[in-house]
Amino acid sequence: MTPTETNVVDYFLERVSSSDSLRIPSVGLSGLHPCSWFRQTVAQPKPDSKSETWWEDSLTEEEILELCNTAPELPILGNASSRSLRPAPIYVISPRVLVKLGSYYTGEYESRAMEVVRSQTSIPVPRPLRFIQREGGCYLVMEYIKGRSLDWCWDGLSLWRKFVIAWTLRGYIRQLRRVRTAQIEHQIPGPLTGDLSEPLKCIGPAMGAEYHCGPFSSAAALFAWLNGRLRVTQYIKGTEPLVLVHGDLTPRNVMLDDDGKIWLIDWGCSGVYPPWFEAAAMLYTRPQPSWWTWVR
């Protein structure tokens, strides 16, 4: 296990053995040390269990929030110079589940986007487990993918492996462009909304320094806003249909798991936008890796 995974396991073992507030199943615990119970029933679930996250699924919302108060925070590289670009806090509440904090607005559509991508593509995406709303924010509970993001491991990969990753990511983008929802059919820009009559604000690095704009009720309204920001000598033609884009395809949001599978994480900037929004967001990556042009 990596140092981060070891810390998570050590933390969770201590939490399970010391807390009276967490509901630990009583079946089969007789004579077992709490650490032994954890490794047998939580770290390595029985094959006939209904879900790999059955223990986490049994927690109440309040128990999840309590775990977030003391759980280790996942270290993520971000842009510390801009508050809007800092990654949302993420807490690892077990070796298989993490919780991402954010506003109700972003957490709701991020979960929706992950479900759509999982159902309509073969792109590996973390499974959203639960969405908890509280005053002042939300908690998006999701599957924890063990692995390394590309910003950490790229330099140590072989040239062939780098080519395979770049080629795979291009295929992922093509799959996203084939996704179909009612919002895409009606060409309403913005994050995936649950009500087409109430479009959401557009969020992401492709929006420029403000990081957000809108909302817009049509593609024409989005292009009018974009052209209003350009010089007279520039003009964007709204000829391409809007598609689903990830919106923040940076090296830190591409995970290479322990089995070599390539995952896309952090769908907080996803939405229905022009296809070139994907490349525009990738250009916003700082520092700009030279290999990133392979994907664009």
Side-chain angles (χ1 to χ4, degrees), residues 123-134:
I123 301 172
V125 174
R127 179 166 59 98
L129 302 174
R130 203 181 307 189
F131 179 71
I132 304 173
Q133 183 183 4
R134 286 294 184 273

Side-chain angles (χ1 to χ4, degrees), residues 11 17 47 58 69 106 112 116 122-123 134 163 235 246 250 271:
Y11 157 79
S17 61
S58 72
N69 291 330
T106 56
R112 187 177 295 118
V116 168
S122 62
I123 301 172
R134 286 294 184 273
F163 172 79
Y235 184 75
H246 179 279
T250 65

Side-chain angles (χ1 to χ4, degrees), residues 128-205:
L129 302 174
R130 203 181 307 189
F131 179 71
I132 304 173
Q133 183 183 4
R134 286 294 184 273
E135 184 177 355
C138 72
Y139 299 78
L140 179 56
V141 186
M142 70 181 79
E143 179 184 12
Y144 176 31
I145 305 303
K146 297 180 180 66
R148 299 170 296 165
S149 57
L150 292 190
D151 55 343
W152 286 102
C153 68
W154 184 262
D155 291 340
L157 300 176
S158 67
L159 181 61
W160 172 249
R161 186 57 177 152
K162 292 176 179 179
F163 172 79
V164 170
I165 291 175
W167 187 260
T168 301
L169 291 177
R170 290 175 65 90
Y172 287 175
I173 294 174
R174 291 191 181 95
Q175 286 194 60
L176 287 179
R177 294 179 179 179
R178 292 195 295 267
V179 169
R180 289 295 175 265
T181 67
Q183 184 172 343
I184 293 175
E185 296 299 330
H186 287 81
Q187 293 290 281
I188 300 175
L192 293 181
T193 177
D195 185 349
L196 297 183
S197 65
E198 297 183 1
L200 303 175
K201 283 187 177 181
C202 302
I203 294 179

Side-chain angles (χ1 to χ4, degrees), residues 12-76:
F12 201 65
L13 288 173
E14 178 182 356
R15 186 67 181 171
V16 168
S17 61
S18 63
S19 176
D20 294 329
S21 63
L22 298 181
R23 299 180 298 150
I24 301 175
S26 58
V27 178
L29 295 182
S30 177
L32 290 178
H33 187 275
C35 293
S36 175
W37 167 84
F38 172 78
R39 295 193 182 281
Q40 291 183 32
T41 63
V42 176
Q44 299 176 357
K46 295 180 180 179
D48 59 351
S49 62
K50 294 182 179 179
S51 168
E52 290 187 355
T53 57
W54 65 267
W55 187 85
E56 295 86 347
D57 292 340
S58 72
L59 297 174
T60 66
E61 292 186 355
E62 296 307 321
E63 287 169 340
I64 291 176
L65 298 183
E66 180 185 349
L67 282 172
C68 290
N69 291 330
T70 53
E73 184 174 348
L74 194 67
I76 303 175

Side-chain angles (χ1 to χ4, degrees), residues 200-254:
L200 303 175
K201 283 187 177 181
C202 302
I203 294 179
M207 312 307 160
E210 292 84 359
Y211 216 70
H212 60 81
C213 62
F216 305 105
S217 59
S218 66
L222 171 62
F223 284 113
W225 180 85
L226 290 170
N227 285 317
R229 295 171 56 86
L230 298 175
R231 294 176 297 181
V232 177
T233 56
Q234 297 174 308
Y235 184 75
I236 297 176
K237 295 182 179 180
T239 55
E240 291 185 289
L242 306 184
V243 297
L244 181 64
V245 303
H246 179 279
D248 193 17
L249 202 55
T250 65
R252 73 168 183 271
N253 289 334
V254 181

